[in-house]
Every structure is written in C-alpha cells, then in structure tokens.
Amino acid sequence: MDKIDILSLELDEIENILIGLGEKKFKAKQIFRWLHVRRVFDFDKMTDISVQLRTALKEKFCINRLFVQKKLESHTDNTVKYLYRLNDGNFVETVLMEYSYGYSICVSTQVGCKMGCNFCASAVAGFVRNLQPSEILMQIYGTENDMNIRVSGIVLMGIGEPLDNYDNVLKFLRLVSDKDGNNLSLRHVSLSTCGIVPKIYELAQLRLGLTLSVSLHSADDMRRSEIMPVNRKYHIPELIEACRYYIQRTGRRITFEYAVIDGVNSSEKDADRLAALLRGINCHVNLIPVNRIRERSYRTTRGAAAAFAKQLGKRGINATVRRTLGSDIEAACGQLRRDADKEISENGGADK
Ligand code: SAH
C-alpha cells in the first residue's frame, strides 16, 4: 500500500489516523508541530515521540520533500529562483523576492498548465499534473530552510492555474495558515487566476481574506479570446460580474493583472475600454511589461507600460507598473523548467 503523504494532511486528519492506530490524539499535534513549526522532515528526529510510534509513523506515512535542481541568485537584487525536482522527476519553479517589508515567495500550483495563454512560457509545454498540497507547501518550507529566513507573503502566481487545482490549493491555504502550524495570515496571500468564473464564486463564499488577482490583459472580448483561450469559455462580462460579486461578498479589493504588449493591448482605445470596464469597481491595475518568451514576438518597454499607466490615470483608473525583479536570472516564468526538461532529455534522464 502506498504511504500517506503526511504534509498534505490537516491536523484533524492526522488525529483520526493516530486514533485508528490506537494512539493518543494529542500526539498528532506534536507531529504537526515538528513538521510545520520546527520544519523537521525526518520521523527519527522527532525526539519527543516514542521510538515505537516513530516506527509506526514511518510505515504509514511519507514526508514529501523537494530537491533543489537549480538555484539562481540575482546580482541586481536579492531575488532567488529555485527549480525544484519533485519525487516523480517533474519540476516546478519557485521565486523568492526581497522587499523592504520582508520576503515574498511566488509558488507554482501545477506542473505545466492547461490554460494556453499565448504569451506565457508555462503554456508551451502543456499540462502534466496538479501539485499536491505538500508540494506547494514544501516550495515555501524548502526555500525558508535553504535561506534560513521566514517569508511574510505568498503569491500563487508561479506555474499553473490555482483555481484549476482548487481542492489542493484550498487545502494548502488551510495548512499554511493553521494556527497550530505555520500560522501565516491569509491576508498576506495573493492568488492569481486567469478567470475560472465558477471557482471565483466558490472562493468568494469562503471569505478567506486573501487578495484575488485576476489576469485580464485585455478589455476587448475578441482580443482576450485570442490571447487567453479561457476567455472563449468565460467571457469578459461574466468574469467582471464574478469579480463584482467577489468584492461585494468579501469586502476585498481585486487586483487586475495586465501584461502590456505593444500593438496588442496598449493603445489609447485599449485604455478607454479598460477604464470603461473597470469604472466603479474597487480594484487596482497592475501593469506588467510583457516578458519575452522564445515562441512569440511579443514585446514592450517599461516606458510603454508607464505611458499606459498614465493613460489609465487620466481616465480615473488606479494603475501601477510592477517592479521587475530578478530579470538577470531568467526571463519569463516557465523558462527554467523547460530548460531543465531539455537538458535532461538530451542527457538521457534525470538523476533520481
Ligand atoms: N494562472 C494564473 C497564475 C500564473 S501566471 C494566472 O493566469 O493568473 C502569473 C501571472 O503572470 C499572470 O498574470 C500571467 O498572465 C502573467 N504572465 C504570464 N506570462 C507572462 C509574460 N510573458 N509576461 C508578463 N506576464 C506574464
């Protein structure tokens, strides 16, 4: 029988299993603290647990660790990019950024992505599988252990579409914020989605306190469908309706992500459309100068993004250009993973 991935279990789930093994319930909290507070990922090192129980734990559970395949440190700022190898040989990327207020970490939620946004490097290789809650969590714990730091913010903006791995992402959110464990307030978490409308409604009901970021990238329905296939299923009016509901239900402002691309979405007309679409909505627009990817000729400059921000400002829309961090260590997200895949297929397989 496969061992149970204990880092994907909530405290009550561990309690129930321990009770089933004839153990005392409080032991679960001890184990949970070893994992989520002390960050000890070896049952043998859990010294206040009896040797007998440790043996039973090793038989029943596994601790799903990640391995650093590559680590790139920026010379221009303190951004660190990790390529983590998962147990099955797949890879995910994680980026640690340093701000004046502390560290923020950008984690992946899937291996690859199904959404097919045509400016995104992650889309090129297609979808492989969902990440388990433990695999999302360990991107954080692994990085914190490696750098000997604690992060103060998490963004679910790496590879994958978080709302397409909804159950595992929600479990990850419960685990990372558990009062008996890591205890990070969800106020310090942002979740970015390309706009899976039914899941935005579901998330709104939970009123988790996190910040929802919606990748908009165009206010023109036809254009958005060209660059983001998800828009063919959930059109802009439906998406905006869901966003309005989210704001009303949670009392939280939404961030709209907008990758500025020359000749695609940054004309005066685009500014008019975007301003008309967002007027009266409690939101912020985050402009990102598009990262170039090899497969596309899309480009822009910081200047063009700043000019577009000004256009929006004139129309009463609050917009800022996102700071670009770590631009010397790798271009668009997804690039690192694909390079590793390529190296490995050229070298005839990963070292396992
Ligand atoms: N699937 C989620 C989260 C992952 S992508 C989403 O779509 O929001 C994180 C952000 O990076 C999204 O806003 C995405 O649209 C943006 N992005 C992807 N490729 C980009 C590129 N080449 N340049 C700029 N932003 C990009």
Side-chain angles (χ1 to χ4, degrees):
M1 198 182 76
D2 278 350
K3 293 188 182 181
I4 304 168
D5 167 15
I6 195 167
L7 274 167
S8 288
L9 296 184
E10 290 178 68
L11 180 56
D12 62 337
E13 294 176 300
I14 302 178
E15 282 171 354
N16 288 336
I17 295 176
L18 286 197
I19 291 166
L21 291 175
E23 290 288 340
K24 294 267 187 316
K25 184 175 154 183
F26 76 88
K27 301 253 161 106
K29 206 177 253 185
Q30 280 177 300
I31 298 165
F32 198 75
R33 288 185 61 79
W34 276 112
L35 295 169
H36 295 273
V37 181
R38 299 193 192 176
R39 309 290 172 76
V40 167
F41 305 122
D42 179 349
F43 291 119
D44 283 327
K45 295 192 175 137
M46 301 184 179
T47 45
D48 59 0
I49 310 272
S50 70
V51 174
Q52 196 194 346
L53 177 55
R54 280 187 244 162
T55 307
L57 292 174
K58 281 189 277 182
E59 272 167 27
K60 188 97 187 158
F61 298 107
C62 62
I63 300 177
N64 201 358
R65 306 189 62 168
L66 309 185
F67 306 90
V68 179
Q69 179 81 16
K70 232 185 208 180
K71 177 179 171 186
L72 297 175
E73 291 174 81
S74 168
H75 299 296
T76 52
D77 49 63
N78 289 330
T79 302
V80 186
K81 191 158 185 171
Y82 287 88
L83 182 72
Y84 281 114
R85 179 159 45 86
L86 309 173
N87 261 320
D88 64 355
N90 278 304
F91 299 100
V92 289
E93 289 181 14
T94 307
V95 181
L96 181 73
M97 294 154 289
E98 193 178 10
Y99 292 95
S100 54
Y101 56 82
Y103 287 96
S104 172
I105 194 164
C106 175
V107 296
S108 298
T109 54
Q110 296 180 315
V111 179
C113 187
K114 288 178 209 160
M115 299 298 130
C117 300
N118 81 358
F119 47 84
C120 180
S122 307
V124 181
F127 175 75
V128 179
R129 69 170 175 86
N130 283 327
L131 291 187
Q132 291 302 313
S134 62
E135 293 169 323
I136 308 175
L137 206 57
M138 280 304 272
Q139 293 173 61
I140 300 167
Y141 294 177
T143 303
E144 288 183 328
N145 272 7
D146 184 59
M147 295 289 291
N148 203 16
I149 50 127
R150 282 292 152 111
V151 303
S152 45
I154 301 171
V155 292
L156 284 85
M157 251 193 213
I159 297 169
E161 167 50 46
L163 297 188
D164 185 45
N165 185 15
Y166 188 80
D167 292 343
N168 288 347
V169 164
L170 277 188
K171 199 165 192 193
F172 155 75
L173 292 172
R174 290 193 299 270
L175 282 167
V176 85
S177 60
D178 193 310
K179 294 264 182 301
D180 289 308
N182 184 60
N183 195 21
L184 182 105
S185 161
L186 293 182
R187 296 240 157 212
H188 302 297
V189 175
S190 293
L191 183 152
S192 182
T193 177
C194 62
I196 303 193
V197 165
K199 295 294 178 195
I200 295 178
Y201 282 103
E202 269 187 57
L203 195 64
Q205 298 301 347
L206 302 175
R207 306 174 78 186
L208 293 179
L210 51 76
T211 300
L212 185 66
S213 291
V214 174
S215 300
L216 191 58
H217 306 317
S218 175
D220 176 73
D221 216 34
M222 296 255 285
R223 180 47 61 86
R224 191 169 190 268
S225 290
E226 276 168 30
I227 60 176
M228 299 179 70
V230 68
N231 195 68
R232 296 171 203 158
K233 191 157 182 193
Y234 308 112
H235 293 280
I236 290 177
E238 276 174 74
L239 173 60
I240 295 298
E241 191 58 36
C243 291
R244 284 183 189 278
Y245 179 80
Y246 187 90
I247 295 164
Q248 177 230 322
R249 185 88 183 93
T250 62
R252 307 276 297 164
R253 165 177 105 152
I254 284 189
T255 299
F256 288 101
E257 306 288 335
Y258 198 102
V260 178
I261 314 172
D262 286 353
V264 173
N265 62 2
S266 50
S267 67
E268 290 229 4
K269 194 148 189 220
D270 290 310
D272 284 338
R273 276 202 197 99
L274 186 57
L277 186 68
L278 301 184
R279 191 152 293 131
I281 297 180
N282 182 13
C283 68
H284 181 82
V285 177
N286 206 355
L287 300 173
I288 320 158
V290 72
N291 281 316
R292 297 196 64 179
I293 61 167
R294 281 171 220 150
E295 295 74 10
R296 303 271 162 212
S297 56
Y298 290 153
R299 64 177 74 221
T300 194
T301 57
R302 249 195 115 66
F308 194 62
K310 214 165 169 188
Q311 298 281 359
L312 292 174
K314 272 196 225 158
R315 291 162 176 81
I317 299 293
N318 197 354
T320 46
V321 181
R322 191 201 281 172
R323 234 177 103 198
T324 343
L325 289 177
S327 46
D328 60 323
I329 48 177
E330 270 303 308
C333 66
Q335 218 84 299
L336 211 60
R337 186 179 69 81
R338 285 187 305 127
D339 286 349
D341 283 347
K342 204 162 144 261
E343 276 167 29
I344 282 156
S345 62
E346 280 166 4
N347 298 337
D351 54 322
K352 290 216 176 112

